[in-house]
Amino acid sequence: TQLLEQSPQFLSIQEGENLTVYCNSSSVFSSLQWYRQEPGEGPVLLVTVVTGGEVKKLKRLTFQFGDARKDSSLHITAAQPGDTGLYLCAGRTSGTYKYIFGTGTRLKVLA
Amino acid sequence: DVKVTQSSRYLVKRTGEKVFLECVQDMDHENMFWYRQDPGLGLRLIYFSYDVKMKEKGDIPEGYSVSREKKERFSLILESASTNQTSMYLCASSLRFGSGRARNTGELFFGEGSRLTVL
């Protein structure tokens, strides 16, 4: 069974701090996505990365896909309370329909 | 605004009851998925459908079945609910992978979830 390990599992930080969430696997993915889920809602896509070494920025969020396409990171600069939520990574291998989801990182940003 | 709608936000059922969870999408998506979400386990795929009347088992299909009679609707059925099926159930849809339709990023669009408690 393919696994996507996310770390840390929980993170509680003060507003204005920086943080990084990691998503690691032994499998190679053709694409990797990051989603954010808020309480009472379904996950919402933040970004898709498809090329090894790719870096994408979404305002204060920076996403990186590992060179070997087995891992990814999400870095948030100057976190704000609105960043609070559950962050999920999801990888898909070539030729399949299945997304393998990570275990999730629950982030709380305190004002 | 694109939407995936799940029929029930909260359900409480008794062991042995038959449970239907309905999901409707208005985006003309080919793919539809049912996941369950449990703390510390992330999202696990129960079933997937890539076309009307077509279905594929996911990672944890035991105790579940599905129905896709129309493109926009994907139903999850628990034939005889058990307490270990207490969970959050999420429906999602997406364009067919590799589709030439504009902006096909492989994005999954999720419903708000159905929280099922089996007593």
Side-chain angles (χ1 to χ4, degrees):
Chain A
T1 303
Q2 296 171 309
L3 288 175
L4 263 177
E5 300 284 345
Q6 275 186 249
S7 61
Q9 194 173 357
F10 299 97
L11 195 53
S12 181
I13 61 172
Q14 293 293 325
E15 182 176 3
E17 290 184 22
N18 301 334
L19 67 118
T20 302
V21 177
Y22 299 94
C23 176
N24 295 293
S25 176
S26 58
S27 301
V28 176
F29 296 108
S30 60
S31 64
L32 192 137
Q33 300 178 326
W34 284 92
Y35 290 80
R36 180 169 68 207
Q37 184 178 19
E38 298 186 23
E41 298 181 12
V44 176
L45 181 70
L46 296 173
V47 78
T48 301
V49 286
V50 297
T51 305
E54 182 176 3
V55 177
K56 280 192 174 179
K57 292 193 175 184
L58 185 66
K59 297 183 180 177
R60 292 175 295 98
L61 279 60
T62 302
F63 304 86
Q64 184 160 10
F65 200 13
D67 290 341
R69 292 184 287 136
K70 293 182 179 182
D71 55 86
S72 181
S73 63
L74 157 60
H75 182 79
I76 301 179
T77 303
Q80 298 177 1
D83 296 326
T84 293
L86 178 68
Y87 289 81
L88 295 159
C89 61
R92 188 164 69 87
T93 53
S94 180
T96 74
Y97 57 82
K98 287 175 61 174
Y99 291 87
I100 306 299
F101 276 83
T103 48
T105 294
R106 192 165 294 281
L107 171 65
K108 187 167 187 177
V109 182
L110 305 170
Chain B
D1 203 13
V2 296
K3 208 165 170 91
V4 177
T5 304
Q6 295 185 227
S7 56
S8 304
R9 294 294 303 273
Y10 301 95
L11 301 94
V12 179
K13 298 292 182 180
R14 296 206 174 274
T15 301
E17 281 192 80
K18 191 168 185 175
V19 182
F20 292 88
L21 298 179
E22 304 284 340
C23 175
V24 178
Q25 51 97 2
D26 65 0
M27 295 168 280
D28 198 34
H29 283 171
E30 292 84 4
N31 297 336
M32 295 189 75
F33 306 79
W34 274 106
Y35 290 89
R36 64 176 282 177
Q37 183 175 28
D38 300 288
L41 296 177
L43 275 67
R44 292 179 292 167
L45 181 64
I46 305 171
Y47 266 98
F48 160 72
S49 170
Y50 55 90
D51 204 346
V52 175
K53 297 191 186 295
M54 306 306 290
K55 61 185 179 184
E56 295 280 347
K57 292 181 179 178
D59 296 318
I60 51 165
E62 297 78 19
Y64 303 95
S65 62
V66 290
S67 172
R68 189 149 181 220
E69 296 297 317
K70 294 185 178 182
K71 189 176 185 180
E72 67 270 19
R73 186 179 297 270
F74 193 32
S75 304
L76 181 68
I77 303 148
L78 288 68
E79 293 288 343
S80 178
S82 62
T83 54
N84 62 13
Q85 292 178 310
T86 291
S87 187
M88 170 68 83
Y89 290 87
L90 288 164
C91 175
S93 71
S94 77
L95 290 167
R96 176 169 292 139
F97 302 128
S99 166
R101 286 161 72 179
R103 301 183 64 196
N104 183 8
T105 62
E107 178 176 1
L108 293 176
F109 292 84
F110 285 89
E112 293 179 316
S114 298
R115 184 166 292 282
L116 171 66
T117 301
V118 182
L119 302 175

